[in-house]
Structures are given as C-alpha cells and as structure tokens.
C-alpha cells in the first residue's frame, strides 16, 4: 500500500435514470465532431433484434458488434476485436460503447485501451502497465452487481491467468445508468451477479486495507444489497437500488481489495470456466470461518429467493486440476493479504484451499 495515498481517476460523467439510455445519441454528438467520427458499439448478443438493439444511435460509418457473454472476456478476444476495429476504421474511433453485463463492460474497457496501445492485451494484465490513454469509452450496464461500470480494472482471462488490466486509463469516461435495461435478466443471473456486489462489500469491509473512503461506499452498498435481497421492494425500486449498490460496491474496492471468495473464484474459473457471480457464490457458502455474518445473511438470501446452487461441480476434477486451481488462487497475493493480513500464508494453507475446492 505504501505511505502515500493513491491518486485515483474516477468515471468523469454519469447519467442515472429510467430511460436515460436514449441520451446516448446526444452524448455521442460532440464526440463525433463533424459527424465523421466512428463509434464502436459492443453489445451483448442477448439483445439481438430486441427493442434495445433498435434504440442504438448508430450511423453509417459506425461499427456495431454483437458479442456473446456466454464466455467471459479473454485477452485473445480483446486483441482480435481491437485488430478488427483498426482494420475497418480509417481513424481511431471517437468512442467505444459497451452495452451489457460485466463481460461486455470489461471488453469495452479493454478494447478502448488496445485500439490505442501496441502488442497484446496480455502484456498489460497487472498494475499500471498501460502507457497510452484509451479512446473515450462509455459503459452502459444491463445487469447490476460487478461494479465494472466504475472500477479501475478490466478482468481478462489471459494465457497465464485471470487478471485485470488495472490502470488510470481503464475507467469509463461516461456511464449511463438506466435501471430499465436490467428488466428481463433471468432470475438466477440477477441473484448471482447481485451477490458479486454483496461479496465485494463483505470482502472489502472485512479486509485489512479498508479506510474511511472505501468503508463509506462499502457500507452504503451493503445496506442497499440487504434491502434488495432481504426486503420486499417494488421491481422498479429493486432495479434502481441494485444498480446503485453495484456502483458503490465498485467504488468501495478503489482503496480496498476483494478477498478470499474472489481469490478462490478466480482459481475455479480458470480451470472450470465457472461464471464469476456463480463462482463467488459457490465458494462463499464455505467461507463461514472467515466471514461468519456475511455467510449467514447470504444463506438467508438464497432461501428467500429459492436459489439452488449447483452441487459438486468439481467432482470430476483431476489432481492436477485442483493443483492449478490452488496455484491460481494462492497467487492472488493482495487479495489474501487484504483478507488475512501480511502473515496470510501462515493462516491459510494450500491443503485448506483443496478442502474447499473439493466441497464445491
Ligand atoms: P455477464 O456480463 O457475463 O452476463 C451474464 C449473462 O447475463 C449473459 O448470458 C448475458 O447475456 C446475460 N444478460 C446481461 N444483461 C442482460 C439483460 N438485461 N437481460 C437478459 N440477459 C442479460 O455477467 P456479469 O456477472 O455482469 O459479469 C461477469 C464478468 O464481470 C466477469 O467476466 C467478471 O470477471 C467481470 N467482473 C469485472 C469486474 C470489474 O471491476 N471490472 C468486477 C467483477 C466482475
Ligand atoms: Zn467480483
């Protein structure tokens, strides 16, 4: 952490409200300049031929690319997209717009960086390795929870590990928070991605890196999550509050870090391809020893929403699969240090990780 407080960039503009998606056109107008500027829209293909697809303010020169979120973002995919854009556009795009859940938001952030940086995105996985600013990028979440709309990272599966491009150029320049866009998210997905936010709060608030800045956001997000998942809000209120919980949860991580659930979930995802939200839930249920109150409330939320987590998904994993999972998880040093302090290696052993992975 060092002694000097970090100086963080933040999302510079944000619009919140039902129907605000339709302001995208006027937001893009000044960026297009004399109307020649190319805008790249990356949209989750779940919206293909929907009302939302029709509302995209694209012009002739623009690129509208539909992308499946079935698999989470990969460095190769980002590189291919950036190459495709550079090939098809005579100039740098004036904006990259990501429309979707965490997967599309992260892709948009990474592509915006890579169209203006050389080499492969894998070279920038880590902390502060990006040299040249990204092109202007706009995030439009359609699923709440990851906090990818505010965070300073874009998490990519690379050739060696799942790791973020954490840089001052990563955060969006503009975010459009339109809670109506989350209408239609399947119930399980709503829960799992919502729990990503809840788990961010628990891990951040119970971590050793916490300071008043992160705590204030974490507490707000946690309170909103409790309302959304344990009370009976109207659908509209629930969508609005979860969208703001995601925002605050993401902000809470700025000075802080996630913790044990994320370290384990990254290992699980690396080997099994388990989606982030589900993976977090699968590991979190076994972390009572570390987050007793957090896990107790989590179980209550599962019951209230009749969510059944899949059982024994690591049943057919080989010894070497488990070893890889442990290796990837154990390698997430800042997460462990945040959760358990500098002596974390003496508190949690590889065997304990194996035990947890075998239970999942
Ligand atoms: P996602 O974007 O992967 O989407 C999950 C599913 O929901 C997909 O099938 C998608 O098509 C569908 N979906 C999304 N919006 C929908 C809508 N409005 N209606 C119907 N279906 C919809 O899910 P996610 O949980 O938001 O994102 C997970 C990703 O976010 C992972 O790659 C993870 O690494 C990343 N993440 C990033 C950060 C960050 O700070 N950058 C933080 C946490 C997680
Ligand atoms: Zn997360």
């Amino acid at each position: 952490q060092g002694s000097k407080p970090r100086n963080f960039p933040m999302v510079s503009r944000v619009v919140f409200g039902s129907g605000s998606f339709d302001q995208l056109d006027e937001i893009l107008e000044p960026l297009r300049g004399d109307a020649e500027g190319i805008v790249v829209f990356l949209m989750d293909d779940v919206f293909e031929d929907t009302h939302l697809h029709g509302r995209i303010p694209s012009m002739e020169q623009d690129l509208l690319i539909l992308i499946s979120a079935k698999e989470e973002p990969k460095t190769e995919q980002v590189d291919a997209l950036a190459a495709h854009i550079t090939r098809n556009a005579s100039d740098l795009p004036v904006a990259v717009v990501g429309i979707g859940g965490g997967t599309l938001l992260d892709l948009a952030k990474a592509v915006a960086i890579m169209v203006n940086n050389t080499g492969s995105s894998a070279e920038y996985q880590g902390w502060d390795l990006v040299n040249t600013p990204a092109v202007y990028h706009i995030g439009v979440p359609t699923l709440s929870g990851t906090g990818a709309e505010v965070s300073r990272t874009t998490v990519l599966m690379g050739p060696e590990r799942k790791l973020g491009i954490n840089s001052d150029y990563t955060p969006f320049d503009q975010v459009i928070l339109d809670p109506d866009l989350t209408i239609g998210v399947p119930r399980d997905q709503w829960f799992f991605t919502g729990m990503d936010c809840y788990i961010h709060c628990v891990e951040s608030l119970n971590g050793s890196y916490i300071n008043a800045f992160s705590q204030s956001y974490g507490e707000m997000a946690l309170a909103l999550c409790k309302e959304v998942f344990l009370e009976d809000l109207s659908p509209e209120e629930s969508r609005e509050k979860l969208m703001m919980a995601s925002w605050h949860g993401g902000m809470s991580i700025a000075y802080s870090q996630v913790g044990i659930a994320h370290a384990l979930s990254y290992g699980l995802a690396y080997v099994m391809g388990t989606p982030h939200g589900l993976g977090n839930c699968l590991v979190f249920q076994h972390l009572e020893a570390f987050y007793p109150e957090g896990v107790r409330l989590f179980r209550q939320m599962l019951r209230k929403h009749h969510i059944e987590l899949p059982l024994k998904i690591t049943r057919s994993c080989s010894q070497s699969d488990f070893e890889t999972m442990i290796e990837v998880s154990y390698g997430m040093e800042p997460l462990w240090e945040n959760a358990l302090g500098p002596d974390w290696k003496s508190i949690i052993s590889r065997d304990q990780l194996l035990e947890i992975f075998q239970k999942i």
Side-chain angles (χ1 to χ4, degrees):
Q1 294 273 289
S3 53
K4 199 168 115 197
R6 299 285 307 269
N7 183 8
F8 290 121
M10 285 170 80
V11 170
S12 17
R13 301 193 73 111
V14 57
V15 49
F16 171 86
S18 161
S20 57
F21 181 75
D22 292 323
Q23 281 169 244
L24 183 53
D25 197 12
E26 60 194 71
I27 286 169
L28 290 172
E29 204 181 282
L31 299 169
R32 290 186 188 275
D34 48 11
E36 300 289 290
I38 296 164
V39 177
V40 176
F41 299 92
L42 306 180
M43 185 185 224
D44 190 321
D45 69 1
V46 77
F47 297 113
E48 186 164 16
D49 299 326
T50 61
H51 186 51
L52 188 64
H53 192 177
R55 283 162 69 198
I56 291 190
S58 65
M59 296 180 68
E60 218 182 302
Q61 72 273 24
D62 293 345
L63 288 175
L64 168 53
I65 307 174
L66 293 164
I67 301 172
S68 164
K70 288 284 169 273
E71 287 189 9
E72 296 185 345
K74 296 188 176 49
T75 52
E76 298 169 356
Q77 184 188 13
V78 168
D79 296 347
L81 278 165
H84 173 78
I85 292 163
T86 334
R87 247 194 333 269
N88 285 275
S90 41
D91 284 313
L92 268 185
V94 295
V96 173
V97 185
I99 305 165
T103 295
L104 265 289
L105 297 178
D106 275 1
L107 277 174
K109 293 201 254 186
V111 166
I113 290 172
M114 290 315 298
V115 290
N116 209 22
N117 280 273
T118 55
S120 164
S121 50
E123 294 164 36
Y124 302 99
Q125 283 180 289
W127 281 267
D128 302 303
L129 302 171
V130 182
N131 315 307
T132 321
V135 305
Y136 199 90
H137 46 304
I138 302 178
V140 186
T142 66
L143 176 56
S144 297
T146 63
E149 65 278 15
V150 283
S151 72
R152 190 179 169 274
T153 188
T154 159
V155 185
L156 303 177
M157 188 68 81
E160 275 154 45
R161 52 187 183 154
K162 184 173 174 183
L163 184 64
I165 299 180
N166 300 265
S167 83
D168 280 354
Y169 303 122
T170 309
F172 285 111
D173 298 291
Q174 164 88 56
V175 171
I176 297 178
L177 296 177
D178 183 343
D180 292 356
L181 302 188
T182 64
I183 296 173
V185 174
R187 196 170 176 69
D188 278 14
Q189 189 66 58
W190 163 80
F191 186 85
F192 296 144
T193 301
M195 284 303 109
D196 189 24
C197 176
Y198 173 70
I199 294 169
H200 288 160
C201 300
V202 173
E203 291 182 315
S204 160
L205 291 170
N206 291 289
S208 61
Y209 290 179
I210 195 76
N211 65 10
F213 181 97
S214 282
Q215 190 183 0
S216 67
Y217 285 107
E219 283 173 353
M220 176 56 76
L222 185 63
L224 289 165
C225 284
K226 286 182 188 168
E227 279 191 71
V228 169
F229 292 104
L230 293 172
E231 290 175 23
D232 298 295
L233 305 178
S234 72
E236 187 192 6
E237 220 183 338
S238 168
R239 287 195 294 274
E240 291 180 352
K241 291 197 170 180
L242 190 54
M243 194 160 254
M244 289 320 298
S246 176
W247 182 274
H248 283 89
M251 284 299 299
S252 173
I253 309 297
Y255 275 108
S256 160
Q257 244 310 346
V258 284
I260 302 176
H262 275 75
L264 294 174
S265 169
Y266 279 179
L268 191 67
Y270 191 81
V271 175
M272 309 280 301
T274 318
H276 186 71
L278 173 60
N280 284 350
C281 290
L282 287 172
V283 299
F284 194 64
Q285 61 181 331
H286 299 298
L287 298 182
E288 215 162 9
F290 303 100
Y291 305 113
E293 175 64 6
V295 175
R296 191 183 65 78
L297 283 183
F298 170 69
R299 295 227 172 94
Q300 217 171 305
M301 292 170 180
L302 278 172
R303 275 197 302 276
K304 180 167 170 74
H305 297 285
H306 311 288
I307 304 290
E308 306 251 354
L309 294 176
L311 297 169
K312 300 271 172 214
I313 69 157
T314 60
R315 178 177 39 211
S316 48
C317 285
S318 66
Q319 192 65 33
S320 101
D321 288 339
F322 282 121
E323 272 162 27
T324 310
M325 269 179 221
I326 294 167
E327 204 48 44
V328 171
S329 298
Y330 222 62
M332 312 291 309
E333 253 180 68
L335 282 64
W336 292 106
E337 194 182 88
N338 175 47
L340 302 172
D343 292 332
W344 63 273
K345 280 189 177 147
S346 65
I347 302 174
I348 191 146
S349 66
R350 287 168 191 261
D351 285 346
Q352 278 170 285
L353 299 199
L354 177 64
E355 228 171 85
I356 297 173
F357 282 131
Q358 283 172 334
K359 275 195 241 169
I360 294 169

